[in-house]
Amino acid sequence: MKPSYEVSNFGVTKYGEKASKFTLRGAGGVVLEVSDYGGKVVRLFTPDRDGAMKDVVVGGDDPSFWDGGDPYWGCIIGRVGNRIAGGRFSLNGKDYELALNNFPAGIGCSLHGGKRGWDAYVWSAKPFVDGDDVGVEFSRVSPDGEENYPGTVIAKVTYTLTKDNVWRVDYEAQSDEDTPINMTQHVYFNFKGESGGTIEDHVMTIAASNVTPTDAGQIPTGEIAKVDGTPFDFRKGMRIGERINEPDEQLEIGKGYDHNWVLDKGQGDAVGYAASLYCPLNGRKVEVWTTEPCLQVYTANWASYDQKAKGGEHLSFRCGVALETQHAPDSPNKPQFPSIIVKKGDIYRSSTEFRFSAQ
Ligand code: BGC
């Protein structure tokens, strides 16, 4: 099969911007529908063990479904993914105050880039076919002071579908002032389809011996805790639902899994194995490989279930799982975590591969 793409209309966003959708048909059979509206993944078809294709990401038909912000369905997250405590950090002797847009246990923080993060903009898009690959390159300029962050950032995110059914996400950014950057992709998988019920029966493996526990406001305490003997030990594949309702302080804070695992492979220039998700019912599987040192796993414990999925059915509790490759939350306030400060003129680079297969 030759890779190909089509471009179609994706309506007008609540900010009045015209959006497009790109249907990428990979040479290996996987089909990825994405919008230039925040790089959102609208549909993603992967084969089961009999070769039957199904859309395995959570999304909606109504354009308003995609209108930015919580729960960040399928989008690119920037400038800073995850939480910053109290919306405050200091850099080069200057204090920065960000808008508070998330309130776990009533405690305010900045989440996923702020009130209008990078998910809520229409990006410039260049679709391409390159040999066996098909993809789309998204870019946008985030002006100095956007969401109160310092520095003008030129950001580029490239989605590539390979003949081996790998969806690769390459991030690149450059700033004219020192600034924090921690980008990720927020797609929610459900290998039974988005209306197929909870993902608690999916088997997850995470190559991590440590997590960063949080306080009630879901801000890491700074501790790096061993997963041994806890419901956070996924080093051997385990059903997500196996221990999710066990009495455990951390699971209570997150209302399930909503935590940052510290990957054993560490940070690297090349992608390394981070995690996998497998659905025993139909054999669909994804392996996540990344250059990032950490992974946030979020089992849709807070999603607003009054929303309708693409088929018109209501979304259920735990209708998807997001596997967000990243640096640790609240890094600007945690000197013991690897820094997310990108120096003026330096190039921020990060890559993650979602390798699809069936067993
Ligand atoms: C966070 C959750 C949040 C969700 C949707 C995840 O990345 O960890 O706490 O509810 O995004 O906003």
Side-chain angles (χ1 to χ4, degrees):
M1 209 184 322
K2 275 216 161 78
S4 65
Y5 66 82
E6 281 153 44
V7 187
S8 55
N9 176 18
F10 194 61
V12 177
T13 75
K14 75 168 174 197
Y15 302 99
E17 294 174 311
K18 263 187 77 179
S20 301
K21 192 178 77 174
F22 302 83
T23 302
L24 312 176
R25 295 178 198 284
V30 165
V31 178
L32 182 62
E33 292 181 22
V34 297
S35 175
D36 50 9
Y37 186 20
K40 291 164 212 254
V41 176
V42 180
R43 289 185 180 80
L44 171 65
F45 294 87
T46 73
D48 71 3
R49 60 168 75 91
D50 300 317
M53 303 298 281
K54 189 170 211 118
D55 173 16
V56 298
V57 299
V58 182
D61 281 325
D62 190 321
S64 69
F65 184 97
W66 299 101
D67 256 332
D70 201 32
Y72 298 89
W73 302 115
C75 56
I76 295 169
I77 303 267
R79 172 179 312 194
V80 177
N82 219 303
R83 295 187 167 83
I84 297 182
R88 289 202 192 90
F89 67 95
S90 303
L91 179 58
N92 300 336
K94 217 176 139 186
D95 295 335
Y96 291 89
E97 202 163 330
L98 313 169
L100 307 179
N101 63 332
N102 185 248
F103 300 87
I107 306 161
C109 65
S110 169
L111 175 69
H112 292 332
K115 284 220 152 118
R116 188 176 179 192
W118 291 0
D119 59 293
Y121 287 89
V122 172
W123 294 48
S124 300
K126 271 194 265 169
F128 62 86
V129 170
D130 180 12
D132 287 334
D133 294 343
V134 59
V136 54
E137 182 192 293
F138 295 116
S139 57
R140 102 166 268 269
V141 177
S142 166
D144 179 30
E146 186 178 63
E147 291 291 329
N148 276 357
Y149 284 107
T152 300
V153 175
I154 302 174
K156 199 168 91 179
V157 180
T158 307
Y159 291 171
T160 307
L161 256 189
T162 76
K163 65 174 180 7
D164 303 313
N165 287 338
V166 176
W167 166 35
R168 186 175 167 101
V169 185
D170 292 302
Y171 306 84
E172 212 182 277
Q174 224 175 338
S175 175
D176 62 358
E177 268 182 66
D178 296 1
T179 197
I181 302 182
N182 188 19
M183 298 178 72
T184 192
Q185 219 298 335
H186 213 277
V187 72
Y188 291 77
F189 294 110
N190 185 332
F191 287 142
K192 297 180 293 185
E194 63 198 333
S195 312
T198 147
I199 42 66
E200 288 182 20
D201 58 355
H202 286 37
V203 174
M204 183 164 72
T205 310
I206 309 173
S209 308
N210 296 281
V211 276
T212 53
T214 73
D215 61 19
Q218 290 196 278
I219 300 295
T221 59
E223 186 198 351
I224 295 182
K226 294 242 170 283
V227 295
D228 303 66
T230 75
F232 291 83
D233 191 351
F234 279 93
R235 289 171 294 185
K236 285 203 187 91
M238 188 77 87
R239 278 177 48 246
I240 290 177
E242 187 82 33
R243 300 161 298 177
I244 204 166
N245 296 318
E246 277 183 10
D248 177 278
E249 195 203 0
Q250 287 299 312
L251 287 175
E252 277 156 29
I253 291 172
K255 301 220 183 310
Y257 294 106
D258 187 8
H259 292 81
N260 175 63
W261 273 259
V262 181
L263 298 169
D264 289 340
K265 67 165 198 66
Q267 189 174 359
D269 290 334
V271 294
Y273 175 70
S276 69
L277 184 72
Y278 169 67
C279 180
L281 264 181
N282 54 49
R284 288 194 180 86
K285 182 176 175 186
V286 67
E287 278 189 10
V288 182
W289 291 63
T290 187
T291 57
E292 287 298 312
C294 298
L295 180 78
Q296 180 91 9
V297 175
Y298 174 54
T299 48
N301 314 314
W302 305 87
S304 45
Y305 308 108
D306 50 346
Q307 287 186 288
K308 280 188 189 161
K310 282 161 275 181
E313 285 178 55
H314 282 274
L315 294 172
S316 64
F317 184 54
R318 305 217 169 109
C319 56
V321 52
L323 304 169
E324 308 155 49
T325 54
Q326 61 178 12
H327 273 55
D330 202 33
S331 287
N333 296 309
K334 297 280 181 320
Q336 65 271 49
F337 292 169
S339 171
I340 60 164
I341 304 303
V342 176
K343 296 267 180 211
K344 169 182 175 169
D346 279 2
I347 301 181
Y348 163 93
R349 278 201 180 88
S350 170
S351 294
T352 293
E353 291 184 1
F354 297 97
R355 302 182 177 183
F356 299 102
S357 62
Q359 278 177 5

